[in-house]
Amino acid sequence: MAQLLWLSFGKTLMQHSTLWGIILIYVLTWCLAFASAFGLHAIWSRVKPHLTFGKTA
């Protein structure tokens, strides 16, 4: 995901303002990582109850 940010506008932004480029790419990369972890957790929480792992009582 960070590579998509970099290729879409990161290079251009870094040429205009290095500090703002670093800050913006860092924050957006962190947000995307958090969102993907949150999304995977939400999906797993819904899928997990439907799976059986051979429980023996």
Side-chain angles (χ1 to χ4, degrees):
M1 287 299 211
Q3 192 172 18
L4 291 175
L5 293 173
W6 177 253
L7 292 175
S8 61
F9 65 89
K11 283 184 185 179
T12 307
L13 182 60
M14 290 291 282
Q15 290 172 353
H16 294 291
S17 175
T18 305
L19 180 63
W20 283 112
I22 291 170
I23 291 171
L24 187 63
I25 295 297
Y26 175 80
V27 169
L28 290 177
T29 301
W30 188 90
C31 289
L32 287 172
F34 180 80
S36 66
F38 187 79
L40 287 173
H41 175 72
I43 291 168
W44 179 247
S45 295
R46 292 184 181 173
V47 170
K48 188 178 178 180
H50 300 291
L51 299 176
T52 57
F53 293 108
K55 293 182 181 177
T56 56

